C-alpha cells in the first residue's frame, strides 16, 4: 500500500479555481493533493528583442516557491540575487510545454508570461504548474478573442503533466513528497490531449530501470493526464459561464 493509501493508478484529488488573481488576464489556483500552485497569465504588447519585427508572439514562464512552501523555510531567490539551476530548469520546461500548443504566428507581436508560484509543495510542483498554467493561458487568450484583439483562438490543444515513479509497491502515478523522496525512479510526463508527447523527464535514483517499467509508468501517465484534462476543461467552462 502507498503511504497515502492510494492505489498505484490513483491520482490525488485535483481542483482548479479560476479568477484567483483578479487583475490578471487569466489565473488559476491548482491543487493536486497537498501541492498548491498559483498560475497567472499576463499579456504584454511587446516581444523579446530576438522576435521584434518578425510578426510572431511569445509565451514564457517564471516559477518560484514561497519560503515556507516546504517543510523548512527556504531563502527567497531574490534575496540571493540569482535563481537556482532547478528554478531555471523548471520555468524553461513550463514555457516549452505551453508553447508546444500555441500558434505563435497567430498570436502576433504579443508576449504572455505565466507566473507559477508554489504556495504549498507536496511533490509534483512542476507538473501542477504546467497543468494550471494552461488554464490561465487559455483564459487570457479567451479575453483577447472576446475583445477582438485576436481574430481566433491561437491554441492548438491542451497540455498537462503528471509524475510517475518506481516505489516499493511498483510503478505508481502522481508521486507525493514522501514517495518522491524515496522513489527508485522519478519520471515526469508532459502530454497533449490528442495523445502526443511534449517532453519526458526520467531519472533512475538507484539502479537503472527497464523498458518494461518505463512502459508501465507511461500507461499510468496516460490515465493520469486524462483526469487533468477533464479538470482543465471543467475550470475553463465554469469561468466562461460565470
Amino acid at each position: 500500500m502507498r503511504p497515502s493509501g492510494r492505489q498505484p493508478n490513483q491520482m490525488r484529488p485535483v481542483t482548479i479555481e479560476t479568477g484567483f488573481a483578479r487583475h490578471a488576464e487569466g489565473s488559476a489556483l491548482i491543487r493536486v493533493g497537498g501541492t498548491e500552485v498559483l498560475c497567472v497569465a499576463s499579456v504584454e504588447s511587446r516581444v523579446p528583442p530576438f522576435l521584434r519585427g518578425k510578426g510572431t508572439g511569445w509565451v514564457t514562464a517564471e516559477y518560484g516557491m514561497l519560503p515556507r512552501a516546504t517543510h523548512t523555510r527556504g531563502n527567497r531567490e531574490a534575496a540571493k540575487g540569482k535563481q537556482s539551476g532547478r528554478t531555471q530548469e523548471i520555468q524553461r520546461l513550463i514555457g516549452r510545454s505551453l508553447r508546444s500548443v500555441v500558434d505563435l504566428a497567430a498570436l502576433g507581436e504579443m508576449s504572455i508570461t505565466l507566473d507559477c508560484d508554489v504556495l504549498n509543495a507536496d511533490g509534483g510542483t512542476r507538473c501542477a504548474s504546467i497543468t494550471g498554467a494552461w488554464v490561465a493561458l487559455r483564459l487570457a487568450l479567451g479575453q483577447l478573442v472576446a475583445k477582438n484583439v485576436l481574430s481566433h483562438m491561437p491554441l492548438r490543444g491542451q497540455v498537462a503533466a503528471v509524475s510517475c515513479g518506481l516505489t516499493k509497491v511498483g510503478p505508481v502515478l502522481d508521486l507525493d513528497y514522501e514517495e518522491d523522496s524515496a522513489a527508485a525512479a522519478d519520471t515526469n510526463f508532459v502530454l497533449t490531449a490528442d495523445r502526443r508527447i511534449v517532453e519526458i523527464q526520467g531519472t533512475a535514483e538507484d539502479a537503472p530501470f527497464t523498458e518494461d517499467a518505463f512502459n508501465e509508468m507511461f500507461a499510468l501517465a496516460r490515465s493520469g493526464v486524462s483526469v487533468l484534462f477533464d479538470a482543465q476543461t471543467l475550470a475553463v467552462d465554469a469561468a466562461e459561464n460565470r
Side-chain angles (χ1 to χ4, degrees), residues 28-123:
L29 176 62
I30 182 169
R31 297 181 175 94
V32 184
T35 289
E36 298 178 315
V37 185
L38 176 59
C39 305
V40 178
S42 300
V43 180
E44 297 177 286
S45 56
R46 59 188 177 90
V47 292
F50 71 91
L51 287 177
R52 287 176 190 162
K54 295 185 178 179
T56 189
W58 189 241
V59 175
T60 189
E62 294 190 11
Y63 168 95
M65 298 182 70
L66 294 187
R68 271 320 289 269
T70 54
H71 295 88
T72 58
R73 185 184 186 277
N75 292 326
R76 295 182 189 272
E77 292 185 340
K80 299 178 184 178
K82 65 176 182 179
Q83 292 179 315
S84 69
R86 176 183 180 275
T87 294
Q88 294 181 53
E89 184 262 325
I90 291 175
Q91 62 191 27
R92 288 170 182 160
L93 170 66
I94 299 167
R96 288 194 302 272
S97 300
L98 296 174
R99 287 193 297 273
S100 73
V101 293
V102 177
D103 182 349
L104 296 176
L107 187 59
E109 292 206 6
M110 287 189 293
S111 294
I112 302 181
T113 301
L114 282 305
D115 288 295
C116 301
D117 292 292
V118 179
L119 311 182
N120 287 294
D122 186 28

Side-chain angles (χ1 to χ4, degrees), residues 7-209:
Q7 295 299 311
N9 63 347
Q10 186 178 357
M11 291 280 294
R12 291 173 289 176
V14 179
T15 62
I16 304 176
E17 176 185 348
T18 61
F20 194 83
R22 69 186 72 173
H23 302 297
E25 285 81 8
S27 67
L29 176 62
I30 182 169
R31 297 181 175 94
V32 184
T35 289
E36 298 178 315
V37 185
L38 176 59
C39 305
V40 178
S42 300
V43 180
E44 297 177 286
S45 56
R46 59 188 177 90
V47 292
F50 71 91
L51 287 177
R52 287 176 190 162
K54 295 185 178 179
T56 189
W58 189 241
V59 175
T60 189
E62 294 190 11
Y63 168 95
M65 298 182 70
L66 294 187
R68 271 320 289 269
T70 54
H71 295 88
T72 58
R73 185 184 186 277
N75 292 326
R76 295 182 189 272
E77 292 185 340
K80 299 178 184 178
K82 65 176 182 179
Q83 292 179 315
S84 69
R86 176 183 180 275
T87 294
Q88 294 181 53
E89 184 262 325
I90 291 175
Q91 62 191 27
R92 288 170 182 160
L93 170 66
I94 299 167
R96 288 194 302 272
S97 300
L98 296 174
R99 287 193 297 273
S100 73
V101 293
V102 177
D103 182 349
L104 296 176
L107 187 59
E109 292 206 6
M110 287 189 293
S111 294
I112 302 181
T113 301
L114 282 305
D115 288 295
C116 301
D117 292 292
V118 179
L119 311 182
N120 287 294
D122 186 28
T125 61
R126 73 185 67 197
C127 294
S129 295
I130 291 167
T131 304
W134 183 89
V135 174
L137 175 64
R138 169 62 179 78
L139 295 177
L141 291 172
Q143 276 203 19
L144 294 174
V145 173
K147 294 177 180 178
N148 295 316
V149 176
L150 296 176
S151 61
H152 64 278
M153 177 64 65
L155 266 182
R156 294 188 285 222
Q158 286 174 255
V159 65
V162 71
S163 66
C164 295
L166 298 178
T167 68
K168 293 179 180 178
V169 300
V172 297
L173 173 66
D174 187 24
L175 304 177
D176 58 27
Y177 175 78
E178 186 174 354
E179 290 175 319
D180 188 20
S181 60
D186 179 14
T187 307
N188 299 303
F189 294 86
V190 185
L191 307 172
T192 64
D194 58 357
R195 299 185 64 81
R196 290 182 294 166
I197 299 167
V198 177
E199 190 158 339
I200 297 173
Q201 300 178 325
T203 304
E205 302 291 350
D206 187 13
F209 55 90

